[in-house]
């Protein structure tokens, strides 16, 4: 059952989604090819295998960022 869910998730990836790789890298999908994706991170654009995408963060963390593809603002650490 889990394999079916993962296969469906990977096949439904869309440009603009915020994702996390299995290595913990966060970024926005900027290009999707047959077997690879390009993710825009703060370090630049990085190419990954589609199977390296662990989960989608768009709705869970950033609201509906597919309509608003801006990078989310990070909260500043408050000084004590």
């Amino acid at each position: 059952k889990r394999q079916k869910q993962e296969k469906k998730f990977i096949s439904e990836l869309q440009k603009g989604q915020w994702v996390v790789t299995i290595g913990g890298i966060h970024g926005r999908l900027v290009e999707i090819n047959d077997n690879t994706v390009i993710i825009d991170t703060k370090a630049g654009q990085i190419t990954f295998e589609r199977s390296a995408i662990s989960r989608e963060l768009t709705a869970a963390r950033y609201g509906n960022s597919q309509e608003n593809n801006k990078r989310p603002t990070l909260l500043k650490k408050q000084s004590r």
Side-chain angles (χ1 to χ4, degrees), residues 19 21 27-30 37-41 44-46 48 53:
V19 295
T21 67
R28 183 175 52 91
L29 292 172
V30 292
V37 295
I38 298 177
I39 298 176
D40 185 29
T41 68
Q45 292 187 351
I46 306 171
F48 289 95
I53 305 301

Side-chain angles (χ1 to χ4, degrees), residues 54-79:
S54 174
R55 60 187 172 138
E56 192 263 340
L57 291 176
T58 303
R61 180 168 286 177
Y62 305 118
N64 192 359
S65 293
Q66 288 176 327
E67 295 171 3
N68 181 3
N69 284 333
K70 295 179 183 174
R71 183 178 302 275
T73 55
L74 301 175
L75 297 175
K76 292 184 180 179
K77 192 173 184 179
Q78 294 180 349
S79 59

Side-chain angles (χ1 to χ4, degrees), residues 1-49:
K1 182 178 179 181
R2 178 144 170 96
Q3 286 179 336
K4 281 184 180 181
Q5 289 174 336
E6 288 177 9
K7 190 173 181 179
K8 182 179 181 210
F9 165 71
I10 289 173
S11 70
E12 293 178 347
L13 290 174
Q14 295 179 358
K15 192 174 173 180
Q17 285 181 311
W18 289 90
V19 295
V20 178
T21 67
I22 56 175
I25 298 174
H26 293 232
R28 183 175 52 91
L29 292 172
V30 292
E31 188 175 320
I32 301 172
N33 300 312
D34 290 339
N35 296 318
T36 61
V37 295
I38 298 177
I39 298 176
D40 185 29
T41 68
K42 288 187 176 186
Q45 292 187 351
I46 306 171
T47 303
F48 289 95
E49 293 291 320

